[in-house]
Amino acid sequence: MSAVVVDNRVRTARIVLVVLGVLVLAFGAWVLVTTVRPNRIGGLATWLLGAVVLHDAILSPFVLAVGMGLRRAGRSLRTWVLVVVQAAVVLGSVLALVVLPEIAAKAHGTKNDTVLPFDYTTRLLVVEGVLVAVVVIALVVGAVTARRRSDQPVVAGTTSL
Amino acid sequence: MRHTRDALASPNRTARSAVVTGRLLGIAFLVCFLTGVYSHLLQEPLGWMRFPTRPVQLYQFTQGLHITAGIAIIPLLLAKLNVVMPALVQTPPVRSVLHLLERASIAVFVASALVQVVTGLLNTYQWYPWPFPFKQVHNALAYVLIGSLLIHIGTKLQIITRYWRKRDSFDAQGRFVADATVGSELPDPNDPAGQEARPGSASSSGGFVGRLHRWIDGTPSPGPIAPATDTVPVTRTGASADGRRQRVARRGFIAGVTAATAGVVALTVGQSSAVGEPFNVFGPRKRHLGQNGLPVNRTARAAGVLATATAADWALTVAGPSVSRTFSRAELTALGQTEERLPIACVEGWSQMATWKGVRMRDLLAAVQVDPDVHVRVTSLERHGGYRIMEMGPEYTADPTTLIALELNGEKLDLEHGFPARIIAPGRPGVLQTKWIERIEVIA
C-alpha cells in the first residue's frame, strides 16, 4: 500500500474531531454508568456485542448472497428491469425487517387497543405481494420488449448490492 | 480473509460509495441526536432552562422528525455497512496500535448504532425484550454513538475530502478512480478479482473467487482489463464498457436504497404527519382511533385510577404560598373555559392535533392569588409511574394556551384521556401532559 499523504488542514481538523469525539464518547459512558445500574450494564454489553455478531455473521452474508444472485441474474436482464427488481427486493427486505418485529410485538400483547391497531401480518403479505407482482411485470415486460428488439443486443447489465 | 475480500469487490463498495451513504447517514444520526437531546431536556431540564412554546406544534415536529429519521436510518445503515463490508475482512486485520484503536472505535460506533436503531424501533411498538432500561440507555448511547461518529469522521477525513465530489471520484468513462494515497481500505472495482498489484494475484483469480466472479459476471478471463495484445481502440471500448457497467451498478444501488428509505418512511410516517395519513400502512398508531377520537397511551386501569378518578368527591387542590383552594369539576367550569387547538405528541413519535376546552392555568393561579410566572408541581391520581409528578416552568404556566382540560374534541374528557381533569400545554411531550390530576402546587 502506498504511503498515505495527509494534508495539513486535514490533520488539524482530524485532531479536533477525534479529541471532541473522545470527549463526547466519554460523556456518554459517564451518563451510562451514572444512570444505569451496574447489573444492567452486563445485559447491555451482551446486546451491543450480539448486534454486531448478528449483523456481521448472519445478515451481511445473506445480503451478499442475494446481491450476487441478482448480479448473476442481471447479466441477461435489461438495465431498467434489473433496477426495478433490485429496488423491489431491497424495499421488500427492509419492510420485512421493520414489520416482523411489529407483528411479534403485537403477538406479545399491547397495553390498549390503540397501540398497534392494524393487522400487520395481512398488511405485510399484501405489500410484499404487490412487490412480487411489480417484479413479475417488470420481468415479463422486459422479456417481451427484448424479443421485439431482438436484433439489438441485450446489454450485459451488472449490478450488485 | 483475502478471498472473501476479493469476492466483495464491487462498484458499490468503494470509498466514494462510503462517502455518499455516510453523508446521508451522518445527517440522519445528527437529526436524531439533536431532536433526542431536545426531548430529553424537555423531560429533565436543568434548573435555568426555559423552552419555546411557539409554534405549539414544535415538539410534534421535532419528535416526529426523530422517529422518522430513525426509521430512515434502518436502510441507510444497512447500505453503509454493506458498502464497507470489505474493510471488515481486511488483511492484516490490525496494522498498528493506532489502527487497532480506530477499528475499536468503529466497532463501538456500529454496535451502538445497531442497538439504538433496534431498541428505538421496538420502543415505538412498546415492546421491551431487553435486560436494561430503555430511556437511560437510549440517552447514554446517543452520546457514545455521536462521539464515535466524530472519531470516525476524523480518522477518515482524508478519504472523505478526496471523494466528497462526484467529479473527483470517477474518470471520463465513469469508472471509479482509486487513489492509494488516501488510505481507503476498500478494494478497487476496476480490478475484477481484487488484484491490487500484488504478486501472485493470478493464482487467486483461478481459485474460488475467480470462478465465483466468472459465474456472476460471465467474464471469460478475469485478467487485466486491457491485456498487452489489445489494440488501443479495443482498450478504449473496454474502458467505456466498464465505466457503463459501474455506472449502472451505482444507479441500481442508489435506486434500491432510495426505494427502501422512501418506502419505509412513507408507509409509517402517517402516525405523526397529516400528509402521510392516507399511506399509514405499518405505523404503530392510527390517528383519530381511540376515545374522544385520539389514541391512548396509559389507560386508567394501568394507572390504577379507575375508582379515584370517578369518585363523586373528586376535587382539584391548588396550593399557593398564601392561599390554598379546592375545586370540583363544576367549580372549575365556573372559572370560565377557553378552547385551544394543541397537539398531543408522544415521545414514541405518534402525534395528533386536538381541540381542548378547559380553564387556563393562569386563571386558576389567579384564583389563588398567584402571579402566573411561577413554577408549579402537578400531581396525578396515578398510584405509581415515573410521570405521576410533573413540574412546569413559568413559560408554560403563564402561556394563555396552557389549560386544565375538561373537554376534548367537543366531548367530555374521557376517563382514558384523564377525566376529571388533565394538563395540556404547548410544545411539550405527551408524558408531561399529566392526566387525572389531583393537585397543583406553586413551588417557586
Side-chain angles (χ1 to χ4, degrees):
Chain A
M1 188 176 284
S2 318
V4 175
V5 186
V6 181
D7 186 89
N8 264 338
R9 282 169 308 169
V10 169
R11 195 189 304 269
T12 313
R14 170 180 286 181
I15 291 168
V16 170
L17 282 165
V18 170
V19 169
L20 192 64
V22 168
L23 290 175
V24 173
L25 201 156
F27 177 72
W30 176 78
V31 171
L32 188 71
V33 296
T34 49
T35 58
V36 181
R37 277 182 285 147
N39 61 342
R40 301 301 189 93
I41 291 178
L44 173 61
T46 313
W47 268 67
L48 287 168
L49 200 66
V52 174
V53 170
L54 273 180
H55 177 269
D56 290 351
I58 294 172
L59 192 60
S60 285
F62 174 76
V63 171
L64 190 65
V66 172
M68 283 182 171
L70 274 174
R71 201 156 132 188
R72 158 84 192 180
R75 265 163 47 188
S76 52
L77 294 178
R78 305 184 73 81
T79 306
W80 71 265
V81 177
L82 187 61
V83 169
V84 169
V85 170
Q86 187 167 296
V89 169
V90 176
L91 174 57
S93 310
V94 170
L95 284 177
L97 269 183
V98 170
V99 180
L100 287 175
E102 196 168 25
I103 293 168
K106 182 154 181 159
H108 196 258
T110 56
K111 286 198 288 186
N112 68 69
D113 293 343
T114 68
V115 182
L116 305 177
F118 302 133
D119 177 357
Y120 296 96
T121 311
T122 306
R123 288 179 168 222
L124 182 62
L125 287 173
V126 169
V127 172
E128 298 288 0
V130 169
L131 290 173
V132 169
V134 166
V135 168
V136 170
I137 291 168
L139 289 173
V140 169
V141 172
V144 169
T145 55
R147 207 174 299 139
R148 281 199 196 135
R149 294 202 265 164
S150 58
D151 50 322
Q152 291 170 18
V154 173
V155 177
T158 50
T159 188
S160 72
L161 288 166
Chain B
M1 281 291 198
R2 178 166 283 172
H3 287 269
T4 320
R5 189 175 136 80
D6 291 346
L8 293 174
S10 147
N12 289 313
R13 296 204 186 88
T14 64
R16 167 69 185 173
S17 325
V19 170
V20 170
T21 48
R23 272 194 307 229
L24 292 171
L25 193 57
I27 292 168
F29 273 132
L30 198 63
V31 165
C32 278
F33 178 70
L34 295 174
T35 52
V37 168
Y38 180 63
S39 178
H40 181 78
L41 290 175
L42 279 173
Q43 293 173 68
E44 287 175 34
L46 305 177
W48 48 268
M49 285 184 173
R50 298 290 173 270
F51 299 95
T53 57
R54 294 292 180 282
V56 294
Q57 296 100 328
L58 181 61
Y59 185 73
Q60 176 178 34
F61 176 75
T62 63
Q63 196 60 14
L65 196 61
H66 183 82
I67 302 296
T68 305
I71 285 174
I73 282 175
I74 297 168
L76 292 175
L77 181 61
L78 291 175
K80 169 81 182 182
L81 290 174
N82 192 291
V83 165
V84 299
M85 210 191 293
L88 179 70
V89 290
Q90 61 184 278
T91 46
V94 173
R95 291 193 300 269
S96 64
V97 176
L98 217 55
H99 187 229
L100 175 70
L101 287 174
E102 192 206 330
R103 294 204 72 182
S105 76
I106 292 173
V108 169
F109 179 40
V110 174
S112 53
L114 289 170
V115 169
Q116 283 297 68
V117 169
V118 170
T119 58
L121 180 71
L122 293 190
N123 175 59
T124 69
Y125 304 153
Q126 301 199 350
W127 187 32
Y128 307 91
W130 47 75
F132 48 84
F134 171 73
K135 202 175 113 177
Q136 290 82 345
V137 167
H138 203 64
N139 178 46
L141 280 190
Y143 293 98
V144 172
L145 194 161
I146 290 298
S148 52
L149 173 59
L150 290 173
I151 296 174
H152 183 57
I153 294 171
T155 53
K156 300 292 186 198
L157 200 55
Q158 186 79 352
I159 302 170
I160 295 170
T161 50
R162 171 65 182 78
Y163 291 108
W164 186 261
R165 289 179 303 187
K166 189 177 181 178
R167 66 164 187 264
D168 298 335
S169 309
F170 306 110
D171 65 16
Q173 279 79 35
R175 291 179 304 176
F176 174 72
V177 179
D179 182 348
T181 64
V182 291
S184 170
E185 291 162 348
L186 301 176
D188 181 1
N190 298 313
D191 229 341
Q195 301 158 59
E196 295 153 86
R198 101 169 78 79
S201 58
S203 60
S204 86
S205 66
F208 170 72
V209 172
R211 283 205 302 278
L212 185 66
H213 272 274
R214 278 196 294 282
W215 177 77
I216 293 169
D217 294 332
T219 40
S221 156
I225 289 160
T229 50
D230 275 2
T231 55
V232 173
V234 174
T235 308
R236 203 172 285 145
T237 313
S240 84
D242 211 42
R244 197 191 125 70
R245 184 181 69 85
Q246 291 190 22
R247 220 181 291 124
V248 168
R250 290 196 297 268
R251 285 179 189 161
F253 184 79
I254 289 167
V257 176
T258 308
T261 310
V264 78
V265 164
L267 297 179
T268 54
V269 75
Q271 66 168 337
S272 49
S273 150
V275 182
E277 249 180 271
F279 319 105
N280 186 2
V281 177
F282 297 123
R285 296 289 191 148
K286 179 176 164 46
R287 287 180 160 199
H288 313 294
L289 176 76
Q291 289 79 2
N292 296 140
L294 189 72
V296 175
N297 209 353
R298 194 160 200 221
T299 60
R301 179 180 296 278
V305 300
L306 283 176
T308 49
T310 53
D313 63 345
W314 175 86
L316 174 67
T317 305
V318 184
S322 48
V323 183
S324 187
R325 281 179 67 182
T326 59
F327 299 85
S328 67
R329 246 183 86 96
E331 285 165 336
L332 284 173
T333 314
L335 286 177
Q337 293 197 86
T338 312
E339 195 172 276
E340 295 291 347
R341 296 268 299 157
L342 290 179
I344 273 280
C346 185
V347 284
E348 285 147 21
W350 64 273
S351 60
Q352 187 186 321
M353 186 56 100
T355 305
W356 308 85
K357 200 169 169 189
V359 184
R360 280 189 176 135
M361 177 68 89
R362 51 192 301 169
D363 293 347
L364 190 65
L365 291 171
V368 293
Q369 296 162 26
V370 173
D371 185 83
D373 287 303
V374 287
H375 285 266
V376 297
R377 177 179 296 138
V378 179
T379 309
S380 167
L381 291 168
E382 289 174 68
R383 297 237 184 89
H384 44 76
Y387 300 100
R388 193 175 73 87
I389 295 170
M390 175 273 286
E391 288 181 8
M392 186 182 258
E395 68 273 39
Y396 302 111
T397 52
D399 194 289
T401 67
T402 300
L403 301 182
I404 287 74
L406 305 170
E407 287 181 29
L408 168 55
N409 289 336
E411 297 167 355
K412 186 182 76 177
L413 190 67
D414 192 276
L415 184 58
E416 303 297 14
H417 285 300
F419 178 87
R422 78 172 298 168
I423 300 291
I424 188 77
R428 294 192 104 189
V431 286
L432 300 180
Q433 313 282 23
T434 310
K435 304 200 274 192
W436 314 291
I437 57 173
E438 69 166 348
R439 186 178 168 84
I440 297 173
E441 188 184 347
V442 177
I443 51 176

